[in-house]
Amino acid sequence: MAIPKRIAIVDAYSSARRLAPLFIAQGYECVHVQSTPVIPNLYAGSFDAPDFVTNHVHRGDLQETLDAVALLRPAQVIAGIETGVELADTLGERLGLRSNGTALSAARRDKYRMIETVRAAGLRTAAQIRTADPATLASWHSETGGRIVVKPLRSAGSDGVSFCETPEESVTALKSVLGTKSALATQNDAVVAQEYLPGDEYYVNTVSRDGRHRVCDIWRTTHLTANGVLDLLEGAHLLPRAGAVQDELVRYTLRTLDALGIRNGPAHTEVKYTPDGPALIETGARLCGGDLPHLARLALGEGQLESTVDAYTRPERFLATCDQDYEVRRYAACVGMVSPAGGRLRTYRDLALIEGLESLHELKVLVRPGERIQRTVNDFTFPVVLYLLHEVESVVMRDIATMRHLDGPDFYRIS
């Protein structure tokens, strides 16, 4: 009997839940490796178990997990989300499969090591410090001057991120993080503090095979100041591949991937375009989150999801199209609504007007009437998220402006 072709995915949550059906369509079975006994609350409910022939739960014994996965004889091991990166690196290397190896695994997860590694490669980065000591942080902020950013070493999205104007604010931010669990359920025993980089923020999503990189999609993010947060992420807009800014971002991103040893698989890179040029915020050796890869393929025909599958199952197709620019068929955006307060949601006013927007593709109501609603302070506390698609860019931009006009204190009935 022929041995089935198999792909192992470590932590196939969030956007990565969409990979298994695509691998199955190429004739592969999928096995799941759960890197922790308990799935982080952030991703609870986003794992589609029926797509996998088995699920092995890693309980800290690497040899046990290695033996179990080896028996399944996967052709590849892939990280789904951030928590799966290091385990996928280790399994892939130990099983002799195509992987990014373990030499730079820590630099692909620890935000401080990541910046130092990229800086050592000669790329522009923010000044920074890693510390758990309030006095050290206060002194560094005083010497650095201006606004700084304080955030956990290992997390996701804008979890635990604070923008601090004074050393006193930085110390407060440090104390609010230390001893807590991140959104990915990792213990916060230190923070990274960085100089604040002015400029627009972009996402550059890629897939690689043996050091050849394909640019799948580029997004410009938008922010606002609300609920005490200076730079609250509120949306992302898909950009054409061609453009002077995009070209510079891509050159910087590909050098970043090389510096971090990302030679295989998907990567999500966040870059600030400062007055002095691109500077890294962070890179994840995994798919972009927030379901943007799915939105991208609706806009482009295919995107990071399909490229990931091609890189591992149809390398000739991947390499033949690796250097081709993607073409925008429909303009796309993802935007979140911003709740001004917490409490029990009674109802949304004018939600029907949001549902009637011309470019609306999908409306995700994450908090429903009768449930507890939080004040929006990061990208995990949006009560409603809109996915917009249209052939005409101005229609998408008009609908975003209309949504933001309707959003505000009067939109929410909270008790």
Side-chain angles (χ1 to χ4, degrees), residues 103-184:
L104 290 172
S105 276
R108 293 191 285 268
R109 284 286 286 117
D110 182 300
K111 299 181 193 300
Y112 176 79
R113 293 190 186 187
M114 179 181 297
I115 293 296
E116 292 303 304
T117 301
V118 171
R119 189 199 322 278
L123 295 169
R124 162 103 163 93
T125 59
Q128 64 170 4
I129 185 175
R130 181 194 189 277
T131 187
D133 179 57
T136 300
L137 177 58
S139 176
W140 184 83
H141 191 166
S142 295
E143 293 174 4
T144 302
R147 178 183 300 145
I148 71 166
V149 184
V150 176
K151 57 187 178 182
L153 288 169
R154 292 168 174 250
S155 192
S158 52
D159 169 52
V161 176
S162 296
F163 300 94
C164 305
E165 306 291 342
T166 67
E168 292 76 18
E169 289 181 6
S170 294
V171 169
T172 298
L174 168 67
K175 291 179 177 178
S176 72
V177 170
L178 288 183
T180 65
K181 290 286 186 71
S182 74
L184 299 180

Coordinates of all heavy atoms in Angstrom, one line a residue, residues 103-184:
A103 N 19.0 27.6 13.9 CA 20.1 28.5 14.3 C 19.5 29.9 14.6 O 20.0 30.5 15.6 CB 21.1 28.6 13.2
L104 N 18.5 30.3 13.9 CA 18.0 31.7 14.1 C 16.5 31.6 14.6 O 15.8 32.6 14.5 CB 18.1 32.5 12.9 CG 19.5 32.9 12.4 CD1 19.5 33.5 11.1 CD2 20.1 33.9 13.5
S105 N 16.1 30.5 15.1 CA 14.7 30.4 15.6 C 14.4 31.4 16.6 O 13.3 32.1 16.5 CB 14.4 29.0 16.2 OG 14.1 28.0 15.2
A106 N 15.2 31.6 17.6 CA 14.9 32.6 18.7 C 14.8 34.0 18.1 O 14.0 34.8 18.5 CB 16.0 32.5 19.7
A107 N 15.6 34.3 17.1 CA 15.6 35.6 16.5 C 14.3 35.8 15.6 O 13.9 37.0 15.4 CB 16.8 35.9 15.6
R108 N 13.7 34.7 15.3 CA 12.4 34.8 14.5 C 11.2 34.9 15.5 O 10.1 35.1 15.0 CB 12.3 33.6 13.6 CG 13.3 33.6 12.4 CD 13.0 32.6 11.4 NE 13.3 31.2 11.8 CZ 14.4 30.6 11.6 NH1 15.4 31.3 11.0 NH2 14.6 29.4 12.0
R109 N 11.4 34.8 16.8 CA 10.3 34.9 17.7 C 10.5 36.0 18.7 O 9.6 36.7 19.1 CB 10.2 33.6 18.5 CG 9.5 32.5 17.7 CD 8.0 32.7 17.6 NE 7.3 32.4 18.8 CZ 6.7 33.3 19.6 NH1 6.6 34.6 19.2 NH2 6.1 33.0 20.7
D110 N 11.7 36.2 19.2 CA 12.0 37.2 20.2 C 12.2 38.6 19.6 O 13.1 38.7 18.7 CB 13.3 36.8 21.0 CG 13.7 37.8 22.1 OD1 13.9 39.0 21.8 OD2 13.7 37.3 23.3
K111 N 11.4 39.5 19.9 CA 11.4 40.8 19.1 C 12.7 41.6 19.3 O 13.2 42.3 18.4 CB 10.2 41.6 19.5 CG 8.9 41.0 19.2 CD 7.7 41.8 19.6 CE 6.4 41.0 19.6 NZ 6.1 40.5 18.3
Y112 N 13.3 41.5 20.5 CA 14.6 42.1 20.7 C 15.7 41.5 19.8 O 16.4 42.2 19.1 CB 15.0 42.1 22.2 CG 16.4 42.7 22.4 CD1 16.5 44.1 22.5 CD2 17.5 41.9 22.6 CE1 17.8 44.6 22.8 CE2 18.7 42.4 22.8 CZ 18.9 43.8 22.9 OH 20.1 44.3 23.1
R113 N 15.8 40.2 19.9 CA 16.9 39.5 19.1 C 16.6 39.7 17.6 O 17.6 39.8 16.8 CB 16.8 38.0 19.4 CG 17.3 37.6 20.8 CD 17.4 36.1 20.9 NE 17.7 35.7 22.3 CZ 18.1 34.4 22.6 NH1 18.1 33.5 21.7 NH2 18.3 34.1 23.9
M114 N 15.4 39.8 17.2 CA 15.0 40.0 15.8 C 15.6 41.3 15.3 O 16.3 41.3 14.3 CB 13.5 40.0 15.7 CG 13.0 40.2 14.3 SD 11.2 40.3 14.2 CE 10.8 38.6 14.7
I115 N 15.4 42.4 16.1 CA 15.9 43.7 15.6 C 17.4 43.7 15.6 O 18.1 44.2 14.7 CB 15.4 44.8 16.5 CG1 13.8 44.9 16.3 CG2 16.0 46.1 16.2 CD1 13.4 45.3 15.0
E116 N 18.0 43.1 16.6 CA 19.5 43.1 16.7 C 20.1 42.3 15.5 O 21.1 42.6 15.0 CB 20.0 42.5 18.0 CG 19.6 43.3 19.2 CD 20.2 44.7 19.1 OE1 21.5 44.8 19.0 OE2 19.5 45.7 19.2
T117 N 19.4 41.2 15.2 CA 19.9 40.4 14.0 C 19.8 41.1 12.7 O 20.8 41.1 11.9 CB 19.1 39.1 14.0 OG1 19.2 38.3 15.2 CG2 19.6 38.2 12.8
V118 N 18.7 41.8 12.5 CA 18.6 42.6 11.3 C 19.5 43.8 11.3 O 20.1 44.1 10.2 CB 17.1 43.1 11.2 CG1 16.9 44.0 10.1 CG2 16.2 41.9 11.0
R119 N 19.7 44.4 12.4 CA 20.7 45.5 12.5 C 22.1 45.1 12.1 O 22.8 45.7 11.4 CB 20.7 46.1 13.9 CG 21.5 47.5 14.0 CD 21.9 47.8 15.4 NE 20.9 47.6 16.4 CZ 19.8 48.3 16.7 NH1 19.6 49.4 16.0 NH2 19.0 48.0 17.6
A120 N 22.4 43.9 12.6 CA 23.8 43.3 12.3 C 24.0 43.1 10.8 O 25.1 43.0 10.4 CB 24.0 42.0 13.1
A121 N 22.9 42.9 10.1 CA 22.9 42.7 8.7 C 23.0 44.0 7.9 O 23.1 44.0 6.7 CB 21.7 41.9 8.2
G122 N 23.1 45.1 8.6 CA 23.3 46.4 8.0 C 22.0 47.2 7.6 O 22.1 48.1 6.9
L123 N 20.9 46.7 8.2 CA 19.6 47.3 7.8 C 19.2 48.3 8.9 O 19.5 48.2 10.1 CB 18.5 46.3 7.7 CG 18.7 45.3 6.5 CD1 17.8 44.1 6.6 CD2 18.5 46.0 5.2
R124 N 18.4 49.3 8.5 CA 17.9 50.4 9.4 C 16.9 49.7 10.4 O 16.0 49.0 10.0 CB 17.2 51.5 8.6 CG 16.3 52.4 9.4 CD 16.9 53.7 9.7 NE 16.0 54.7 10.1 CZ 15.6 54.9 11.4 NH1 16.2 54.2 12.4 NH2 14.8 55.9 11.7
T125 N 17.1 50.0 11.7 CA 16.2 49.5 12.7 C 16.1 50.6 13.8 O 16.9 51.5 13.8 CB 16.7 48.2 13.3 OG1 18.0 48.4 13.9 CG2 16.8 47.1 12.3
A126 N 15.2 50.4 14.7 CA 15.0 51.3 15.8 C 16.0 51.0 16.9 O 16.4 49.8 17.1 CB 13.6 51.1 16.4
A127 N 16.4 52.0 17.6 CA 17.2 51.9 18.8 C 16.4 51.2 19.9 O 15.2 51.4 19.9 CB 17.7 53.2 19.4
Q128 N 17.0 50.3 20.7 CA 16.1 49.5 21.6 C 16.9 49.0 22.8 O 18.1 49.1 22.8 CB 15.5 48.3 20.9 CG 16.6 47.3 20.4 CD 15.9 46.0 19.9 OE1 14.7 45.8 19.8 NE2 16.8 45.0 19.5
I129 N 16.2 48.5 23.8 CA 16.7 47.9 25.0 C 15.8 46.8 25.4 O 14.6 46.9 25.3 CB 16.9 48.9 26.1 CG1 17.7 48.3 27.3 CG2 15.6 49.5 26.5 CD1 18.0 49.3 28.4
R130 N 16.4 45.7 26.0 CA 15.6 44.6 26.6 C 15.8 44.7 28.1 O 16.9 44.7 28.5 CB 16.1 43.3 26.1 CG 15.3 42.1 26.6 CD 16.0 40.8 26.3 NE 15.3 39.6 26.7 CZ 15.2 39.1 27.9 NH1 15.8 39.7 28.9 NH2 14.4 38.0 28.1
T131 N 14.7 44.8 28.8 CA 14.9 44.9 30.3 C 13.7 44.5 31.1 O 12.6 44.5 30.5 CB 15.2 46.4 30.6 OG1 15.5 46.5 32.0 CG2 14.0 47.3 30.3
A132 N 13.9 44.2 32.3 CA 12.8 43.9 33.3 C 12.9 44.9 34.5 O 12.2 44.8 35.4 CB 12.8 42.5 33.7
D133 N 13.9 45.8 34.4 CA 14.2 46.7 35.5 C 13.7 48.1 35.3 O 14.1 48.7 34.3 CB 15.7 46.7 35.7 CG 16.1 47.6 36.8 OD1 15.6 47.4 38.0 OD2 16.8 48.6 36.6
P134 N 12.8 48.6 36.1 CA 12.2 49.9 35.9 C 13.3 51.0 35.9 O 13.1 51.9 35.0 CB 11.3 50.1 37.1 CG 10.9 48.7 37.5 CD 12.2 47.9 37.3
A135 N 14.3 51.0 36.7 CA 15.3 52.0 36.8 C 16.1 52.0 35.4 O 16.4 53.1 34.9 CB 16.2 51.8 38.0
T136 N 16.4 50.9 34.9 CA 17.2 50.8 33.7 C 16.3 51.4 32.5 O 16.8 52.1 31.7 CB 17.5 49.3 33.4 OG1 18.4 48.8 34.4 CG2 18.3 49.2 32.0
L137 N 15.1 51.0 32.5 CA 14.2 51.5 31.5 C 14.0 53.0 31.5 O 14.1 53.7 30.5 CB 12.8 50.8 31.5 CG 11.8 51.3 30.5 CD1 12.3 51.1 29.1 CD2 10.4 50.6 30.7
A138 N 13.8 53.6 32.8 CA 13.7 55.0 32.9 C 14.9 55.7 32.5 O 14.8 56.8 31.8 CB 13.3 55.3 34.4
S139 N 16.1 55.2 32.8 CA 17.3 55.8 32.4 C 17.5 55.8 30.9 O 17.9 56.8 30.3 CB 18.5 55.1 33.1 OG 19.7 55.7 32.7
W140 N 17.2 54.7 30.3 CA 17.3 54.6 28.8 C 16.4 55.5 28.1 O 16.8 56.2 27.2 CB 17.1 53.1 28.4 CG 17.3 52.9 26.9 CD1 18.4 52.7 26.3 CD2 16.2 52.9 25.9 NE1 18.2 52.5 24.9 CE2 16.9 52.7 24.7 CE3 14.9 53.2 25.9 CZ2 16.2 52.7 23.5 CZ3 14.2 53.1 24.7 CH2 14.8 52.9 23.5
H141 N 15.2 55.6 28.6 CA 14.2 56.6 28.0 C 14.7 58.0 28.1 O 14.6 58.8 27.2 CB 12.8 56.4 28.6 CG 11.7 57.1 27.9 ND1 10.4 56.9 28.1 CD2 11.8 58.0 26.9 CE1 9.7 57.6 27.3 NE2 10.5 58.4 26.6
S142 N 15.2 58.3 29.3 CA 15.7 59.7 29.5 C 16.8 60.0 28.5 O 16.9 61.1 28.0 CB 16.2 59.9 30.9 OG 15.1 59.8 31.9
E143 N 17.7 59.1 28.3 CA 18.9 59.3 27.4 C 18.4 59.3 26.0 O 18.9 60.1 25.2 CB 19.9 58.2 27.6 CG 20.6 58.2 29.0 CD 21.5 57.0 29.2 OE1 21.6 56.2 28.2 OE2 22.0 56.9 30.3
T144 N 17.5 58.5 25.6 CA 17.0 58.4 24.2 C 16.1 59.6 23.9 O 16.3 60.2 22.8 CB 16.1 57.1 24.0 OG1 16.9 56.0 24.4 CG2 15.6 57.0 22.6
G145 N 15.3 60.0 24.8 CA 14.4 61.2 24.6 C 13.3 60.9 23.7 O 13.2 59.9 23.0
G146 N 12.3 61.7 23.7 CA 11.1 61.6 22.9 C 10.2 60.4 23.2 O 10.3 59.9 24.3
R147 N 9.4 60.1 22.3 CA 8.4 59.0 22.5 C 9.1 57.6 22.3 O 9.9 57.5 21.4 CB 7.3 59.2 21.6 CG 6.2 58.1 21.6 CD 5.1 58.4 20.5 NE 4.5 59.7 20.7 CZ 4.1 60.5 19.8 NH1 4.3 60.2 18.5 NH2 3.6 61.7 20.1
I148 N 8.7 56.6 23.1 CA 9.2 55.3 22.9 C 8.0 54.3 22.9 O 6.9 54.7 23.3 CB 10.3 54.9 23.9 CG1 9.7 54.6 25.3 CG2 11.4 55.9 24.0 CD1 10.6 53.9 26.2
V149 N 8.3 53.1 22.4 CA 7.3 52.0 22.4 C 7.8 50.9 23.4 O 8.9 50.5 23.3 CB 7.1 51.5 21.0 CG1 6.0 50.4 21.0 CG2 6.8 52.6 20.0
V150 N 6.9 50.5 24.2 CA 7.2 49.4 25.1 C 6.3 48.2 24.8 O 5.0 48.4 24.7 CB 7.0 49.8 26.6 CG1 7.2 48.6 27.5 CG2 7.9 50.9 27.0
K151 N 6.8 47.0 24.6 CA 6.0 45.9 24.2 C 6.6 44.6 24.7 O 7.8 44.5 25.0 CB 5.8 45.8 22.7 CG 7.0 45.8 21.9 CD 6.6 45.9 20.4 CE 7.9 45.9 19.5 NZ 7.5 46.0 18.1
P152 N 5.7 43.5 24.8 CA 6.3 42.2 25.2 C 7.3 41.7 24.2 O 7.2 42.0 23.0 CB 5.0 41.3 25.2 CG 3.9 42.3 25.3 CD 4.3 43.5 24.6
L153 N 8.1 40.8 24.7 CA 9.1 40.2 23.8 C 8.5 39.2 22.8 O 9.0 39.1 21.7 CB 10.2 39.5 24.6 CG 11.2 40.3 25.4 CD1 12.0 39.5 26.4 CD2 12.1 41.1 24.4
R154 N 7.5 38.5 23.2 CA 6.9 37.5 22.4 C 5.4 37.6 22.5 O 4.8 37.2 23.5 CB 7.3 36.1 22.9 CG 8.8 35.7 22.6 CD 9.1 34.5 23.4 NE 10.5 34.0 23.1 CZ 10.8 33.0 22.3 NH1 9.9 32.2 21.8 NH2 12.1 32.7 22.1
S155 N 4.7 38.1 21.5 CA 3.3 38.2 21.5 C 2.8 38.3 20.1 O 3.5 38.0 19.1 CB 2.7 39.3 22.4 OG 1.3 39.1 22.6
A156 N 1.6 38.9 19.9 CA 1.1 39.0 18.5 C 0.3 40.3 18.5 O -0.3 40.8 19.5 CB 0.2 37.8 18.1
G157 N 0.1 40.9 17.3 CA -0.7 42.0 17.1 C -0.2 43.2 18.0 O 1.0 43.4 18.2
S158 N -1.1 43.9 18.5 CA -0.8 45.1 19.4 C -0.9 44.8 20.8 O -1.1 45.7 21.7 CB -1.6 46.3 19.0 OG -3.0 46.0 19.0
D159 N -0.9 43.5 21.2 CA -1.1 43.0 22.6 C 0.0 43.6 23.4 O 1.2 43.4 23.1 CB -1.0 41.5 22.6 CG -0.9 41.0 24.1 OD1 -1.7 41.4 24.9 OD2 0.0 40.2 24.3
G160 N -0.3 44.3 24.5 CA 0.6 44.9 25.4 C 1.5 46.0 24.9 O 2.4 46.4 25.6
V161 N 1.2 46.6 23.8 CA 2.0 47.7 23.2 C 1.6 49.0 23.8 O 0.4 49.3 23.8 CB 1.9 47.7 21.7 CG1 2.6 48.9 21.1 CG2 2.4 46.4 21.1
S162 N 2.5 49.8 24.3 CA 2.3 51.1 24.9 C 3.2 52.1 24.2 O 4.3 51.9 24.0 CB 2.5 51.1 26.4 OG 1.6 50.2 27.1
F163 N 2.6 53.3 23.9 CA 3.4 54.4 23.4 C 3.6 55.4 24.6 O 2.6 55.9 25.2 CB 2.6 55.1 22.3 CG 2.3 54.2 21.1 CD1 1.1 53.5 21.0 CD2 3.3 54.0 20.1 CE1 0.9 52.7 20.0 CE2 3.0 53.2 19.1 CZ 1.8 52.5 19.0
C164 N 4.8 55.7 24.9 CA 5.2 56.4 26.2 C 5.9 57.7 25.9 O 6.9 57.6 25.1 CB 6.0 55.5 27.0 SG 5.2 53.9 27.4
E165 N 5.4 58.8 26.5 CA 6.1 60.1 26.2 C 7.1 60.4 27.3 O 8.1 61.1 27.0 CB 5.0 61.2 26.3 CG 3.8 60.9 25.3 CD 4.2 61.1 23.9 OE1 5.3 61.7 23.6 OE2 3.5 60.7 23.0
T166 N 7.0 59.8 28.5 CA 7.9 60.1 29.6 C 8.5 58.8 30.2 O 7.9 57.7 30.1 CB 7.2 60.9 30.7 OG1 6.2 60.0 31.3 CG2 6.5 62.1 30.1
P167 N 9.6 58.9 30.9 CA 10.1 57.7 31.6 C 9.1 57.1 32.6 O 9.1 55.9 32.8 CB 11.4 58.2 32.3 CG 11.8 59.4 31.4 CD 10.6 60.0 30.9
E168 N 8.3 58.0 33.2 CA 7.3 57.5 34.1 C 6.3 56.6 33.4 O 5.9 55.6 34.0 CB 6.7 58.7 34.9 CG 7.6 59.5 35.8 CD 8.6 60.4 35.1 OE1 8.3 60.7 33.9 OE2 9.5 60.8 35.7
E169 N 5.9 57.1 32.3 CA 4.9 56.3 31.5 C 5.5 54.9 31.1 O 4.8 53.9 31.1 CB 4.4 57.1 30.3 CG 3.5 58.2 30.6 CD 3.1 58.9 29.3 OE1 3.3 58.5 28.2 OE2 2.4 60.0 29.5
S170 N 6.8 55.0 30.7 CA 7.5 53.7 30.3 C 7.5 52.7 31.5 O 7.3 51.5 31.3 CB 8.9 54.0 29.8 OG 8.9 54.8 28.7
V171 N 7.8 53.2 32.7 CA 7.9 52.3 33.8 C 6.5 51.7 34.1 O 6.3 50.6 34.4 CB 8.4 53.1 35.0 CG1 8.2 52.3 36.3 CG2 9.9 53.4 34.8
T172 N 5.5 52.6 34.0 CA 4.1 52.1 34.2 C 3.8 51.0 33.2 O 3.2 50.0 33.5 CB 3.1 53.2 34.1 OG1 3.4 54.2 35.1 CG2 1.7 52.7 34.2
A173 N 4.2 51.2 31.9 CA 3.9 50.2 30.9 C 4.7 48.9 31.2 O 4.1 47.8 31.0 CB 4.3 50.8 29.5
L174 N 5.9 49.0 31.6 CA 6.7 47.8 32.0 C 6.0 47.0 33.1 O 5.8 45.8 33.0 CB 8.1 48.3 32.4 CG 9.0 47.2 33.1 CD1 9.4 46.1 32.2 CD2 10.2 47.9 33.8
K175 N 5.6 47.7 34.1 CA 5.0 47.1 35.3 C 3.6 46.4 34.9 O 3.2 45.4 35.5 CB 4.8 48.0 36.4 CG 6.1 48.5 37.1 CD 5.8 49.5 38.2 CE 7.2 49.9 38.9 NZ 6.9 50.9 39.9
S176 N 2.9 47.0 33.9 CA 1.7 46.4 33.5 C 1.9 45.1 32.7 O 0.9 44.3 32.6 CB 0.9 47.4 32.6 OG 1.5 47.6 31.3
V177 N 3.1 44.9 32.1 CA 3.3 43.7 31.3 C 4.0 42.6 32.1 O 3.6 41.4 32.0 CB 4.2 44.1 30.1 CG1 4.7 42.9 29.4 CG2 3.5 45.0 29.1
L178 N 4.9 43.0 33.0 CA 5.7 42.0 33.7 C 4.8 41.1 34.6 O 3.9 41.6 35.2 CB 6.7 42.6 34.6 CG 7.9 43.3 34.0 CD1 8.9 43.8 35.1 CD2 8.7 42.3 33.1
G179 N 5.0 39.8 34.5 CA 4.3 38.8 35.3 C 3.0 38.4 34.7 O 2.3 37.6 35.3
T180 N 2.6 39.0 33.6 CA 1.3 38.6 33.0 C 1.6 37.6 31.8 O 2.7 37.3 31.5 CB 0.6 39.9 32.4 OG1 1.4 40.4 31.3 CG2 0.5 41.0 33.4
K181 N 0.5 37.1 31.3 CA 0.6 36.2 30.1 C 0.2 37.0 28.9 O -0.7 37.9 28.9 CB -0.4 35.1 30.3 CG -0.1 34.0 31.3 CD 1.1 33.2 30.9 CE 1.4 32.1 31.9 NZ 0.4 31.0 31.9
S182 N 0.9 36.8 27.8 CA 0.7 37.5 26.5 C -0.6 36.9 25.9 O -1.1 35.9 26.4 CB 1.9 37.3 25.6 OG 1.9 36.0 25.1
A183 N -1.0 37.5 24.8 CA -2.1 37.0 24.1 C -1.9 35.6 23.5 O -2.8 34.8 23.2 CB -2.5 37.9 22.9
L184 N -0.6 35.2 23.4 CA -0.2 33.8 23.0 C 0.0 32.9 24.2 O 0.6 31.8 24.0 CB 1.0 33.9 22.1 CG 0.8 34.8 20.8 CD1 2.1 34.8 20.0 CD2 -0.3 34.3 20.0

